[in-house]
Amino acid sequence: TMKNVLVLTDYAIGYPSGFGETLFNLLREYDVRRIWNAFPALAAPGEGKQIGRLIPLFVPRIPAWLPRQLIPVYRPIFKCQQFASVAAHVQKLSELIREQQIDALLTCPVSPSLLETVLRLKKANPRLLLVVFVMDDWEGHHTCFGLPYWAGRRRILREVFTRAQGRFAISNEMAEQYRMEFGGEWQVLHNGCEPVSDIPKHPGQPLRQVVLAGDVNRFRGDAVIAFARGLGIYNQVRSETVRFLILGSISDDIAPILRQFDFVETLGRRSQVECLATIQQADMLYLPMAFGRRIDRISRFSFPTKLPEYLVTGKPILFHAPEKSAVYRFAKRYDFRPRLATIVPE
């Protein structure tokens, strides 16, 4: 029997990112009349991507204009605002759950405040079926951004997992790790796809254009920079330049480095339709994951949400990631090539 579902996430279903697009792909066949989507107001769906009834939530943020030296002074105020907003969200969503007879709560937690909201909602509505889908490893996310992984946060995370009736991880590696760390049964909701036998190992034509569909940030920045440098060396010995096209936003610390290469073209974020059309024109697709120590848990357990869209194109894919990463192990398991596990440009 189809259930009424409240989807509570840090990004709306259909938000233009890996999270939003993955949720959209998972839920687009579901009866939209039975979905309510609650999310921070600034993370709304992309055009034409709305699913269900939208419930934008006010989520406090540290003002962007605040001088860096004043942030420690402002932080106690910010924490009070967060505490008040969590209480307000729990009250608002509890009323919605009762009024609309909502049966299940689906969440993909990223921020600590959302995780606390989920736990308090479950406690206030014990009959609610709680389903958790983890796309980014929570400890790895904290390490990556230099956030304190306090005992209180670990306790809330463990309690949410314990109270959940359904637990899903994004990769086999994450599911295995979480069974050991948190106990309970973990299933893999998305681990790329089943093996595809007809993906070519190399381009069937002269290599002219390599495409990366995704943002370039700390989760893949060092790999992308090394690849661009290596491609520059490769282009020096070729009569025809191979172009490197990036469909996604570039973080401020990486953009100046990539601008040094005249064969790198950055187009920013594009709609899923535009993105799919562009990658269909590529000679090879590029799938990187960062090599830095701070990214270790993210690379080992998380998984690029763009991979299924890459696979359905039938284009050759260059997997560029640490050998212990989930995506490299996936490529090795199904013998996808080429694979690259170094950031030495040569």
Side-chain angles (χ1 to χ4, degrees):
T1 304
M2 240 180 209
K3 299 184 180 298
N4 291 341
V5 179
L6 170 61
V7 181
L8 175 57
T9 50
D10 288 279
Y11 305 93
I13 302 168
Y15 179 76
S17 73
F19 273 73
E21 293 290 353
T22 297
L23 289 168
F24 181 84
N25 292 336
L26 287 172
L27 296 170
R28 61 184 171 185
E29 301 297 328
Y30 205 84
D31 186 346
V32 296
R33 296 169 299 177
R34 292 183 174 274
I35 294 178
W36 287 260
N37 185 196
F39 55 89
L42 295 178
E47 185 178 353
K49 291 287 187 174
Q50 175 180 336
I51 289 183
R53 278 163 272 194
L54 304 185
I55 309 167
L57 303 172
F58 168 73
V59 176
R61 296 174 181 270
I62 294 177
W65 49 262
L66 191 70
R68 185 181 297 273
Q69 63 269 25
L70 293 181
I71 290 179
V73 178
Y74 184 82
R75 196 170 295 280
I77 300 173
F78 176 62
K79 290 298 180 184
C80 290
Q81 291 174 332
Q82 279 189 317
F83 182 82
S85 71
V86 168
H89 296 161
V90 171
Q91 181 178 352
K92 177 179 181 177
L93 296 176
S94 290
E95 292 173 0
L96 177 77
I97 288 166
R98 290 190 292 270
E99 290 170 2
Q100 302 298 332
Q101 298 182 332
I102 289 174
D103 308 295
L105 170 62
L106 168 63
T107 188
C108 307
V110 175
S111 67
S113 58
L114 182 127
L115 193 71
E116 186 174 353
T117 302
V118 168
L119 180 57
R120 291 174 63 174
L121 261 182
K122 175 62 176 173
K123 287 180 175 180
N125 303 272
R127 67 167 187 83
L128 201 63
L129 294 173
L130 174 58
V131 178
V132 180
F133 178 27
V134 183
M135 294 194 211
D136 266 352
D137 175 69
W138 227 58
E139 181 180 341
H141 190 85
H142 278 67
T143 303
C144 174
F145 287 96
L147 301 173
Y149 194 45
W150 289 318
R153 291 183 177 180
R154 297 197 298 272
R155 178 190 57 77
I156 292 173
L157 183 68
R158 182 176 294 276
E159 189 170 353
V160 166
F161 290 163
T162 300
R163 289 175 179 267
Q165 283 82 15
R167 306 173 196 87
F168 295 89
I170 201 168
S171 70
N172 290 335
E173 291 74 16
M174 180 185 284
E176 291 171 7
Q177 181 69 22
Y178 280 27
R179 287 186 196 109
M180 291 189 295
E181 282 190 28
F182 302 106
E185 182 58 37
W186 286 84
Q187 302 177 66
V188 179
L189 184 56
H190 159 205
N191 192 11
C193 326
E194 292 300 316
V196 181
S197 59
D198 58 351
I199 297 290
K201 308 296 185 187
H202 300 284
Q205 55 186 340
L207 184 61
R208 298 187 181 92
Q209 182 170 268
V210 179
V211 172
L212 163 61
D215 297 338
V216 180
N217 47 35
R218 68 186 70 202
F219 296 115
R220 52 176 68 102
D222 58 358
V224 173
I225 291 170
F227 177 71
R229 287 174 174 156
L231 192 57
I233 296 170
Y234 180 71
N235 281 335
Q236 289 176 3
V237 299
R238 279 176 50 93
S239 58
E240 188 173 355
T241 298
V242 178
R243 303 201 63 78
F244 181 25
L245 185 62
I246 301 175
L247 303 171
S249 63
I250 316 291
S251 65
D252 292 340
D253 58 326
I254 297 171
I257 301 173
L258 294 180
R259 280 197 291 267
Q260 300 173 18
F261 306 102
D262 58 5
F263 55 86
V264 175
E265 185 176 357
T266 58
L267 298 182
R269 286 183 175 177
R270 290 290 186 266
S271 70
Q272 191 177 32
V273 173
E274 291 176 290
C275 184
L276 289 174
T278 302
I279 63 180
Q280 283 286 0
Q281 303 303 313
D283 300 313
M284 178 175 282
L285 304 176
Y286 175 58
L287 193 68
M289 182 66 79
F291 286 72
R293 184 174 57 84
R294 277 194 165 190
I295 315 293
D296 180 62
R297 274 191 68 106
I298 292 287
S299 70
R300 283 193 292 130
F301 304 130
S302 297
F303 205 80
T305 54
K306 191 60 66 177
L307 179 57
E309 294 175 7
Y310 274 20
L311 289 171
V312 298
T313 67
K315 301 283 184 179
I317 303 167
L318 170 57
F319 292 84
H320 187 191
E323 283 191 82
K324 292 183 179 180
S325 67
V327 66
Y328 192 91
R329 292 174 66 180
F330 170 85
K332 190 173 182 179
R333 186 157 59 241
Y334 297 130
D335 196 30
F336 285 120
R337 298 172 186 270
R339 301 190 297 265
L340 187 61
T342 178
I343 51 174
V344 178
E346 290 78 13

